[in-house]
Amino acid sequence: MDCSCSRFFKIYGYDFLLGTIAAFYVITVPCTKVEESFNVQAMHDILYHWHHLDNYDHLDFPGVVPRTFIGAFLVSIFASPIILVMSMLHFPKIYGLIAVRLALGCIILYTLRFFRIQQVRNKFGLQVEAFFVILTALQFHLLFYCTRPLPNILALGIVNLAYGFWLKGNFYAALNCLIFATVIFRCDMVLLLFPLGLELLLTKSISLWKALKCCLGIAVLSIGLTILVDSVMWKKLVWPEFEVLWFNSVLNRSSEWGTHSFHWYFTSALPRSLLAAYPLCILGLFLDRRVLPFIIPVFSFVLLYSKLPHKELRFIISSVPIFNLSAAVAASRIYINRKKAFWKLLSIILLGFLFISLGCTAISFMASFENYPSGYAIKYLHQIGDRTNITEEQWVHIDSFSAMNGISRFCENDFPWRYSKEESIPLKEFHKRNFTYLINEHSFVDGYKCLFIVDGFSRVSPQMSFPPILLIKEPKVYVHGNIKNKDLMNKKWPGCSSGFDR
């Protein structure tokens, strides 16, 4: 038994560590936000509505631009056996959300394993691999996001495969992976495809003619696949990522969701996502010349992306594994030479950076834990509302703010609970509607009584005492009850004098 356990951890120990951290994030923060809503709702509908397309959420709430169902289908296939068992045992659907997120995390971490084992270990050695895992484990965003069904994360899985093939020397396979990711999941992966292809051409690693023949074939197949699948699901002829490209780049509509300065990725997003790996990845360029060819295309990807005014950290998360590789090379070199005078100082600084990364990750986790207030609101509403026998339907209206900050169809319960996400209802009109409960961002609604509020993360505030960082929360979501419902009014509710204690 000890021998088999030791062998297991020797082979899968790093995967177990990263998987455990990712699973911890899933279980403690299971809810999702608006950026994930399409794939979350799609996976819910695939798993629970199957071929009944008329019941699918995207037909009522299509979003600004269409997205592909291919990623949702892939994750749903892996999660379906678990969901089937949960349905037979009548588990709440929130456990289904945990299951699909864990399935996605397994897919992404498997592709990261392919990149790590096939190439980081084989090309740079076991010690670089160890530091690669340490740096990844101490970073918050990669492991937190790897289970979140964002188009960027679905693309990340394919990009990890591309990185593995690239380091292995299978350049055409790497280009094909990036084309597949670009056509189906994220059109902006072309910003990584172009500099990588250019570098391979300039270094004569590939021939132009063979690359065109090879890549054109996968491009046509990918376009055909997404048009075939998504046209059926959307009930119209559509290539989702082409519409995204048109919306974001040609019409430049993405800037309506906010803009940042050109340097934001280098001065804010990358330092927050890489933490200790940020200065180390720069040092790695000078310590091992083998790193430079891998950094140049990825750096160019971030640089090209910086031209777009609307910026989010998740847009460049595909760059993190390569930057971590460079950082791991530097950390390994420092560790090897730690007994030498100058390097001893660097090893102390490295240790300090690692502890700082751990602290920053803890703060980021605590902030994220408080960042899904409407998810907690509907959970508490179900808990309190289910304490008595209810025979009549309980209609819950969920406003846009709440739908974007933690509530998905996985959060819904069966009878007697019923839900409405009807939009554009004026606040003064709610008293004319027969909703039992309201979950929204308003502290007062005529005809309804505030039953309880849920606080959410507002900002981080430094202080001179311990702990040095304080998370400031403020009321985010209010749950109201219809005053005409006497049974509801007779229940004991927490009230709205303070946030719900969780």
Side-chain angles (χ1 to χ4, degrees):
M1 179 67 72
D2 291 340
C3 182
S4 61
C5 185
S6 175
R7 186 170 181 272
F8 172 84
F9 279 103
K10 183 177 181 180
I11 299 174
Y12 300 107
Y14 291 149
D15 304 289
F16 182 79
L17 171 64
L18 298 180
T20 300
I21 296 171
F24 170 77
Y25 290 147
V26 172
I27 293 169
T28 53
V29 191
C31 296
T32 55
K33 283 206 171 240
V34 61
E35 297 89 352
E36 308 153 67
S37 62
F38 171 77
N39 281 306
V40 168
Q41 311 290 36
M43 289 188 292
H44 170 277
D45 295 342
I46 291 168
L47 291 165
Y48 291 97
H49 295 313
W50 296 18
H51 62 282
H52 302 290
L53 287 183
D54 291 338
N55 295 329
Y56 277 46
D57 184 85
H58 70 284
L59 298 177
D60 293 324
F61 303 96
V64 179
V65 288
R67 288 291 186 183
T68 182
F69 274 83
I70 293 175
F73 273 120
L74 178 63
V75 177
S76 298
I77 289 170
F78 281 95
S80 57
I82 302 172
I83 299 298
L84 179 61
V85 173
M86 288 182 175
S87 298
M88 293 172 61
L89 297 175
H90 302 289
F91 277 34
K93 286 195 291 187
I94 188 66
Y95 292 104
L97 177 58
I98 293 173
V100 296
R101 287 190 54 198
L102 288 175
L104 173 61
C106 288
I107 294 171
I108 301 303
L109 291 180
Y110 175 80
T111 63
L112 189 66
R113 172 185 168 84
F114 173 79
F115 167 61
R116 191 191 80 235
I117 289 184
Q118 297 298 322
Q119 304 316 318
V120 176
R121 176 190 296 178
N122 295 342
K123 197 174 187 70
F124 292 93
L126 292 171
Q127 194 163 274
V128 172
E129 181 194 14
F131 275 107
F132 179 88
V133 172
I134 291 170
L135 292 169
T136 303
L138 292 178
Q139 293 165 350
F140 174 73
H141 292 93
L142 184 61
L143 294 181
F144 184 77
Y145 275 104
C146 77
T147 64
R148 297 196 164 272
L150 295 156
N152 313 82
I153 298 304
L154 296 168
L156 172 64
I158 309 299
V159 172
N160 283 337
L161 296 178
Y163 288 153
F165 287 126
W166 178 19
L167 270 72
K168 193 176 181 180
N170 196 341
F171 304 123
Y172 295 105
L175 294 177
N176 284 337
C177 285
L178 290 179
I179 290 171
F180 184 84
T182 300
V183 169
I184 292 180
F185 294 122
R186 285 297 300 189
C187 59
D188 48 27
M189 287 298 105
V190 71
L191 300 179
L192 178 59
L193 174 64
F194 175 74
L196 175 57
L198 183 60
E199 178 182 274
L200 294 176
L201 284 172
L202 293 176
T203 56
K204 298 183 179 180
S205 300
I206 60 173
S207 70
L208 179 60
W209 178 241
K210 187 176 179 181
L212 287 174
K213 289 194 298 182
C214 182
C215 295
L216 185 60
I218 193 67
V220 172
L221 289 174
S222 300
I223 292 170
L225 175 64
T226 185
I227 290 177
L228 176 63
V229 172
D230 295 311
S231 295
V232 172
M233 301 305 294
W234 284 96
K235 296 186 176 183
K236 63 179 181 179
L237 186 64
V238 62
W239 173 11
E241 277 311 296
F242 179 78
E243 295 202 17
V244 173
L245 177 67
W246 187 267
F247 182 88
N248 288 339
S249 301
V250 179
L251 300 181
N252 196 24
R253 295 280 303 279
S254 64
S255 58
E256 296 174 7
W257 279 261
T259 62
H260 289 92
S261 58
F262 178 84
H263 57 78
W264 185 81
Y265 283 131
F266 297 100
T267 57
S268 179
L270 284 175
R272 284 186 289 117
S273 59
L274 295 175
L275 299 175
Y278 193 50
L280 287 172
C281 75
I282 300 172
L283 182 60
L285 293 173
F286 298 97
L287 295 179
D288 193 331
R289 64 179 62 185
R290 293 176 299 170
V291 172
L292 186 60
F294 302 111
I295 288 291
I296 290 176
V298 176
F299 175 82
S300 301
F301 162 67
V302 180
L303 193 65
L304 290 170
Y305 224 135
S306 298
K307 294 286 290 182
L308 297 177
H310 178 58
K311 297 178 176 65
E312 293 187 40
L313 188 154
R314 60 190 172 95
F315 292 167
I316 60 162
I317 199 165
S318 296
S319 66
V320 171
I322 290 294
F323 288 136
N324 279 348
L325 168 60
S326 179
V329 169
S332 176
R333 184 68 63 87
I334 292 171
Y335 181 78
I336 291 171
N337 296 284
R338 65 189 182 280
K339 294 184 179 180
K340 300 177 182 178
F342 174 72
W343 293 90
K344 186 175 183 179
L345 175 62
L346 288 182
S347 66
I348 295 172
I349 295 173
L350 170 62
L351 188 62
F353 277 158
L354 295 179
F355 276 110
I356 291 172
S357 292
L358 180 62
C360 292
T361 294
I363 293 169
S364 296
F365 166 72
M366 290 187 292
S368 295
F369 183 82
E370 303 289 350
N371 212 20
Y372 300 82
S374 53
Y376 297 118
I378 197 168
K379 172 186 173 182
Y380 303 145
L381 176 59
H382 289 152
Q383 289 175 348
I384 300 174
D386 282 339
R387 287 176 182 171
T388 58
N389 293 326
I390 304 172
T391 57
E392 297 181 354
E393 290 184 338
Q394 305 291 297
W395 275 96
V396 182
H397 182 269
I398 302 164
D399 74 344
S400 297
F401 177 84
S402 300
M404 292 190 295
N405 288 278
I407 295 180
S408 69
R409 285 196 169 188
F410 280 105
C411 299
E412 299 175 356
N413 281 0
D414 295 329
F415 184 87
W417 297 97
R418 295 290 183 265
Y419 306 89
S420 168
K421 293 192 295 182
E422 184 180 348
E423 299 177 344
S424 303
I425 302 177
L427 201 59
K428 61 184 179 181
E429 295 293 323
F430 274 104
H431 74 280
K432 300 178 182 179
R433 310 295 290 268
N434 199 30
F435 295 118
T436 314
Y437 301 98
L438 307 179
I439 302 179
N440 61 33
E441 59 179 325
H442 304 288
S443 59
F444 175 79
V445 181
D446 187 29
Y448 290 81
K449 176 185 177 181
C450 183
L451 304 178
F452 63 89
I453 62 176
V454 177
D455 293 337
F457 173 72
S458 175
R459 65 187 186 279
V460 172
S461 176
Q463 58 180 12
M464 298 303 293
S465 58
F466 184 85
I469 298 295
L470 184 66
L471 267 63
I472 307 297
K473 298 187 291 183
E474 62 183 31
K476 294 286 186 177
V477 175
Y478 299 81
V479 178
H480 304 273
N482 195 322
I483 59 176
K484 297 177 184 178
N485 190 317
K486 301 304 179 184
D487 292 336
L488 187 154
M489 291 295 106
N490 289 332
K491 287 183 182 179
K492 185 177 181 180
W493 297 93
C496 293
S497 59
S498 61
F500 200 101
D501 184 12
R502 53 178 184 274

